[in-house]
Amino acid sequence: MRYGDALREAVESPRTTPLIGIYDMYSASIAAQHYNGFFVSGFGFAASHYGLPDIGFIAWPDMLAFVERLRLAFPRHHLLVDIDDGYVDPEVACHVVQRLEHTGASGVILEDQKRPRRCGHADGKLILPLEEYLEKLNLVLSSRQDLLVVARTDATEESEIMRRAQALAETDADVVLVDGVRSVEWIRKIRSVTGDKPLLFNQIAGGKSPRLSLTELSDLGVNIAIYSTPCLFAAHGAIDGALADLKLADGRLPDTAETGAVGVAGSTKLLEKNISRHHGIPQPVSV
Protein backbone atom coordinates (compact mmCIF):
# COMPACT_ATOMS: atom_id res chain seq x y z
CA MET A 1 0.00 0.00 0.00
CA ARG A 2 1.47 3.34 -1.10
CA TYR A 3 -0.09 5.68 1.43
CA GLY A 4 1.68 8.75 0.09
CA ASP A 5 0.28 8.26 -3.40
CA ALA A 6 -3.20 7.70 -2.00
CA LEU A 7 -3.00 11.07 -0.25
CA ARG A 8 -1.63 12.69 -3.42
CA GLU A 9 -4.72 11.48 -5.28
CA ALA A 10 -6.89 13.18 -2.68
CA VAL A 11 -4.84 16.38 -2.99
CA GLU A 12 -5.42 16.38 -6.75
CA SER A 13 -9.21 16.18 -6.42
CA PRO A 14 -11.15 19.34 -7.28
CA ARG A 15 -12.54 19.75 -3.76
CA THR A 16 -10.51 20.60 -0.66
CA THR A 17 -9.58 17.44 1.27
CA PRO A 18 -10.25 17.66 5.03
CA LEU A 19 -7.93 15.97 7.53
CA ILE A 20 -9.21 15.87 11.10
CA GLY A 21 -6.85 16.46 13.99
CA ILE A 22 -6.89 13.59 16.48
CA TYR A 23 -5.01 13.40 19.76
CA ASP A 24 -5.30 9.78 20.94
CA MET A 25 -6.64 6.43 19.81
CA TYR A 26 -10.11 7.03 21.18
CA SER A 27 -10.58 10.36 19.42
CA ALA A 28 -9.33 8.71 16.22
CA SER A 29 -11.87 5.91 16.66
CA ILE A 30 -14.69 8.45 16.75
CA ALA A 31 -13.30 10.60 13.94
CA ALA A 32 -12.95 7.51 11.73
CA GLN A 33 -16.75 7.20 11.67
CA HIS A 34 -16.99 10.58 9.93
CA TYR A 35 -13.80 11.24 7.92
CA ASN A 36 -11.27 9.14 6.00
CA GLY A 37 -8.24 11.27 6.84
CA PHE A 38 -6.44 12.19 10.06
CA PHE A 39 -4.03 14.96 10.94
CA VAL A 40 -1.74 13.81 13.75
CA SER A 41 -1.62 17.19 15.46
CA GLY A 42 1.41 18.25 17.46
CA PHE A 43 -0.83 20.49 19.60
CA GLY A 44 -3.15 17.60 20.41
CA PHE A 45 -0.38 15.07 20.97
CA ALA A 46 1.57 17.36 23.31
CA ALA A 47 -1.63 18.01 25.27
CA SER A 48 -2.74 14.37 25.52
CA HIS A 49 0.58 12.55 25.83
CA TYR A 50 2.41 15.00 28.09
CA GLY A 51 -0.22 17.40 29.38
CA LEU A 52 1.93 20.23 28.06
CA PRO A 53 1.55 23.06 25.53
CA ASP A 54 2.82 22.74 21.96
CA ILE A 55 6.19 24.42 22.49
CA GLY A 56 8.65 21.66 21.66
CA PHE A 57 8.23 18.93 24.27
CA ILE A 58 7.43 16.11 21.82
CA ALA A 59 10.04 13.35 21.53
CA TRP A 60 10.04 11.65 18.15
CA PRO A 61 9.94 8.04 19.45
CA ASP A 62 6.67 8.87 21.21
CA MET A 63 5.17 10.27 18.02
CA LEU A 64 6.41 7.28 16.01
CA ALA A 65 4.82 4.84 18.46
CA PHE A 66 1.51 6.71 18.25
CA VAL A 67 1.49 6.63 14.44
CA GLU A 68 2.29 2.92 14.52
CA ARG A 69 -0.77 2.28 16.71
CA LEU A 70 -2.92 4.46 14.45
CA ARG A 71 -1.90 2.66 11.28
CA LEU A 72 -2.57 -0.77 12.76
CA ALA A 73 -6.07 0.28 13.82
CA PHE A 74 -6.88 2.38 10.72
CA PRO A 75 -5.22 0.74 7.71
CA ARG A 76 -7.21 2.72 5.13
CA HIS A 77 -7.10 6.26 6.51
CA HIS A 78 -4.79 9.06 5.43
CA LEU A 79 -2.29 9.91 8.20
CA LEU A 80 -0.60 13.29 7.87
CA VAL A 81 1.88 13.72 10.73
CA ASP A 82 3.12 16.94 12.28
CA ILE A 83 6.88 16.54 12.92
CA ASP A 84 7.44 20.17 13.97
CA ASP A 85 10.98 21.21 12.96
CA GLY A 86 12.05 17.60 12.37
CA TYR A 87 13.17 17.46 16.01
CA VAL A 88 15.87 20.08 15.41
CA ASP A 89 18.67 18.23 13.63
CA PRO A 90 18.44 17.53 9.84
CA GLU A 91 19.78 13.99 10.23
CA VAL A 92 17.21 13.28 12.94
CA ALA A 93 14.50 14.67 10.65
CA CYS A 94 15.54 12.28 7.87
CA HIS A 95 15.64 9.32 10.25
CA VAL A 96 12.18 10.12 11.61
CA VAL A 97 10.75 10.54 8.12
CA GLN A 98 12.09 7.15 7.05
CA ARG A 99 10.76 5.49 10.20
CA LEU A 100 7.33 7.11 9.77
CA GLU A 101 7.15 6.05 6.14
CA HIS A 102 8.05 2.48 7.09
CA THR A 103 5.33 2.60 9.77
CA GLY A 104 2.70 3.64 7.23
CA ALA A 105 2.37 7.41 7.53
CA SER A 106 0.91 9.09 4.47
CA GLY A 107 2.78 12.35 4.85
CA VAL A 108 4.58 14.76 7.16
CA ILE A 109 4.66 18.51 7.76
CA LEU A 110 8.11 20.05 8.27
CA GLU A 111 8.23 23.65 9.55
CA ASP A 112 10.91 26.34 9.39
CA GLN A 113 10.70 27.37 13.05
CA LYS A 114 13.69 27.37 15.34
CA ARG A 115 13.71 26.66 19.06
CA PRO A 116 12.00 27.57 21.27
CA ARG A 117 9.15 26.75 18.88
CA ARG A 118 5.51 27.77 19.23
CA CYS A 119 2.09 26.68 17.98
CA GLY A 120 1.66 28.10 14.50
CA HIS A 121 -1.14 30.39 15.69
CA ALA A 122 0.79 31.74 18.68
CA ASP A 123 2.78 34.96 18.96
CA GLY A 124 6.56 35.07 19.30
CA LYS A 125 7.50 32.54 16.61
CA LEU A 126 11.13 32.43 15.47
CA ILE A 127 12.18 31.12 12.06
CA LEU A 128 15.35 29.63 10.63
CA PRO A 129 17.25 31.40 7.87
CA LEU A 130 15.61 30.30 4.63
CA GLU A 131 18.77 28.65 3.29
CA GLU A 132 19.14 26.58 6.46
CA TYR A 133 15.54 25.40 6.29
CA LEU A 134 15.79 24.56 2.58
CA GLU A 135 18.87 22.45 3.28
CA LYS A 136 16.93 20.47 5.91
CA LEU A 137 13.87 20.20 3.66
CA ASN A 138 15.87 18.94 0.69
CA LEU A 139 17.58 16.31 2.83
CA VAL A 140 14.17 15.11 4.01
CA LEU A 141 12.87 15.04 0.45
CA SER A 142 15.85 12.97 -0.70
CA SER A 143 15.31 10.49 2.15
CA ARG A 144 11.64 9.73 1.45
CA GLN A 145 10.28 7.33 -1.13
CA ASP A 146 6.49 7.59 -1.42
CA LEU A 147 5.79 9.83 1.58
CA LEU A 148 4.02 13.14 0.90
CA VAL A 149 5.95 16.13 2.33
CA VAL A 150 4.38 19.46 3.28
CA ALA A 151 6.82 22.38 3.47
CA ARG A 152 5.60 24.84 6.10
CA THR A 153 6.66 28.38 6.85
CA ASP A 154 5.79 30.25 10.04
CA ALA A 155 6.88 33.63 8.70
CA THR A 156 4.66 36.50 9.88
CA GLU A 157 6.08 39.54 8.07
CA GLU A 158 4.36 40.09 4.72
CA SER A 159 7.34 40.27 2.39
CA GLU A 160 8.95 37.28 4.10
CA ILE A 161 5.75 35.24 3.76
CA MET A 162 5.76 35.83 0.03
CA ARG A 163 9.49 35.15 -0.35
CA ARG A 164 9.31 31.88 1.55
CA ALA A 165 6.07 30.68 -0.03
CA GLN A 166 7.58 31.12 -3.48
CA ALA A 167 10.83 29.42 -2.45
CA LEU A 168 9.00 26.44 -0.94
CA ALA A 169 6.85 26.09 -4.06
CA GLU A 170 10.01 25.78 -6.14
CA THR A 171 11.23 22.74 -4.18
CA ASP A 172 10.16 19.12 -4.67
CA ALA A 173 7.85 19.33 -1.64
CA ASP A 174 4.37 18.11 -2.52
CA VAL A 175 2.41 20.84 -0.70
CA VAL A 176 3.06 24.30 0.78
CA LEU A 177 1.64 25.55 4.09
CA VAL A 178 1.84 29.13 5.34
CA ASP A 179 0.63 28.80 8.93
CA GLY A 180 -1.38 31.46 10.70
CA VAL A 181 -2.74 33.05 7.50
CA ARG A 182 -4.91 35.93 8.70
CA SER A 183 -7.26 36.63 5.78
CA VAL A 184 -8.79 35.39 2.55
CA GLU A 185 -6.83 38.10 0.76
CA TRP A 186 -3.59 36.53 1.98
CA ILE A 187 -4.63 33.09 0.75
CA ARG A 188 -5.03 34.65 -2.70
CA LYS A 189 -1.65 36.38 -2.45
CA ILE A 190 0.06 33.13 -1.48
CA ARG A 191 -1.63 31.28 -4.31
CA SER A 192 -0.36 33.95 -6.73
CA VAL A 193 3.30 33.10 -5.97
CA THR A 194 3.02 29.32 -5.55
CA GLY A 195 1.72 28.58 -9.05
CA ASP A 196 0.27 25.09 -9.37
CA LYS A 197 1.84 23.78 -6.16
CA PRO A 198 -0.89 22.40 -3.86
CA LEU A 199 -1.71 24.49 -0.80
CA LEU A 200 -2.66 23.45 2.73
CA PHE A 201 -4.70 25.60 5.12
CA ASN A 202 -4.63 25.08 8.90
CA GLN A 203 -7.79 25.82 10.88
CA ILE A 204 -7.75 25.88 14.67
CA ALA A 205 -10.54 27.15 16.91
CA GLY A 206 -9.60 30.54 18.34
CA GLY A 207 -6.59 30.78 16.02
CA LYS A 208 -5.45 33.61 13.77
CA SER A 209 -6.91 32.31 10.50
CA PRO A 210 -10.45 32.97 9.22
CA ARG A 211 -13.10 30.27 9.68
CA LEU A 212 -13.80 29.02 6.16
CA SER A 213 -15.94 26.22 4.75
CA LEU A 214 -14.56 23.52 2.48
CA THR A 215 -16.52 25.05 -0.40
CA GLU A 216 -14.92 28.46 0.24
CA LEU A 217 -11.47 26.90 0.46
CA SER A 218 -12.04 24.97 -2.77
CA ASP A 219 -12.97 28.21 -4.51
CA LEU A 220 -9.72 29.75 -3.23
CA GLY A 221 -7.65 26.93 -4.70
CA VAL A 222 -6.76 25.29 -1.37
CA ASN A 223 -6.11 21.57 -1.72
CA ILE A 224 -5.99 20.35 1.90
CA ALA A 225 -7.54 21.68 5.10
CA ILE A 226 -6.26 20.40 8.42
CA TYR A 227 -8.45 20.84 11.49
CA SER A 228 -5.93 20.68 14.29
CA THR A 229 -8.01 20.46 17.47
CA PRO A 230 -11.77 19.84 17.00
CA CYS A 231 -11.63 16.54 18.90
CA LEU A 232 -9.41 17.84 21.70
CA PHE A 233 -11.45 20.98 22.34
CA ALA A 234 -14.76 19.10 22.10
CA ALA A 235 -13.50 16.58 24.65
CA HIS A 236 -12.42 19.43 26.92
CA GLY A 237 -15.92 20.88 26.99
CA ALA A 238 -17.72 17.54 27.18
CA ILE A 239 -15.59 16.17 30.02
CA ASP A 240 -15.90 19.39 31.99
CA GLY A 241 -19.67 19.40 31.55
CA ALA A 242 -20.10 15.72 32.42
CA LEU A 243 -18.10 16.02 35.63
CA ALA A 244 -19.95 19.17 36.65
CA ASP A 245 -23.24 17.27 36.14
CA LEU A 246 -21.92 14.30 38.15
CA LYS A 247 -21.03 16.61 41.01
CA LEU A 248 -24.51 18.19 40.94
CA ALA A 249 -26.06 14.69 41.00
CA ASP A 250 -24.14 13.80 44.15
CA GLY A 251 -22.11 11.23 42.22
CA ARG A 252 -25.08 9.36 40.65
CA LEU A 253 -24.31 8.36 37.07
CA PRO A 254 -26.91 9.20 34.40
CA ASP A 255 -29.16 6.41 33.09
CA THR A 256 -27.80 5.70 29.61
CA ALA A 257 -31.08 4.04 28.57
CA GLU A 258 -32.93 7.29 29.26
CA THR A 259 -30.36 9.80 28.02
CA GLY A 260 -28.91 7.87 25.08
CA ALA A 261 -25.43 8.71 26.38
CA VAL A 262 -22.47 6.48 25.58
CA GLY A 263 -22.11 3.51 27.92
CA VAL A 264 -19.84 0.51 28.19
CA ALA A 265 -21.54 -1.42 25.37
CA GLY A 266 -21.38 1.42 22.86
CA SER A 267 -17.77 2.22 23.73
CA THR A 268 -16.71 -1.40 23.44
CA LYS A 269 -18.45 -1.76 20.07
CA LEU A 270 -16.57 1.27 18.75
CA LEU A 271 -13.20 -0.02 19.93
CA GLU A 272 -13.72 -3.54 18.61
CA LYS A 273 -13.58 -2.10 15.09
CA ASN A 274 -9.91 -1.28 15.66
CA ILE A 275 -8.74 -4.86 16.24
CA SER A 276 -6.27 -5.40 13.41
CA ARG A 277 -7.26 -8.99 12.61
CA HIS A 278 -10.66 -7.71 11.44
CA HIS A 279 -9.18 -5.52 8.72
CA GLY A 280 -7.84 -7.94 6.16
CA ILE A 281 -5.48 -6.64 3.47
CA PRO A 282 -5.38 -2.81 3.31
CA GLN A 283 -6.82 -1.36 0.11
CA PRO A 284 -6.26 2.13 -1.32
CA VAL A 285 -8.00 4.88 0.60
CA SER A 286 -11.30 6.01 -0.92
CA VAL A 287 -11.11 9.70 -1.83
Side-chain angles (χ1 to χ4, degrees), residues 4 7 39-40 63 67 79-84 86-87 93 96-101 105-111 133 137 140-141 143-144 146-152 173-175 177 200 224:
L7 183 53
F39 171 51
V40 186
M63 180 62 84
V67 174
L79 296 179
L80 179 64
V81 184
D82 182 2
I83 60 168
D84 295 339
Y87 308 100
V96 172
V97 161
Q98 291 174 332
R99 293 284 299 273
L100 284 170
E101 183 166 20
S106 307
V108 297
I109 300 177
L110 180 70
E111 68 190 32
Y133 172 69
L137 174 64
V140 164
L141 291 169
S143 70
R144 59 95 183 256
D146 166 61
L147 195 76
L148 179 142
V149 174
V150 179
R152 163 180 158 177
D174 299 279
V175 181
L177 162 60
L200 185 152
I224 308 176

Side-chain angles (χ1 to χ4, degrees), residues 59-73:
W60 69 261
D62 293 337
M63 180 62 84
L64 179 66
F66 180 40
V67 174
E68 184 177 34
R69 293 196 299 273
L70 283 168
R71 180 49 79 204
L72 192 64

Side-chain angles (χ1 to χ4, degrees), residues 18-20 22 26-38 74 77 214 231 270 273 286:
L19 300 177
I20 301 302
I22 47 87
Y26 202 89
S27 64
S29 302
I30 298 169
Q33 311 304 302
H34 302 276
Y35 290 90
N36 69 353
F38 298 149
F74 308 102
H77 278 67
L214 291 173
C231 297
L270 173 73
K273 297 177 183 179
S286 176

Side-chain angles (χ1 to χ4, degrees), residues 90 128-137:
L128 294 167
L130 178 58
E131 295 73 19
E132 185 176 340
Y133 172 69
L134 289 176
E135 181 180 358
K136 182 190 294 186
L137 174 64

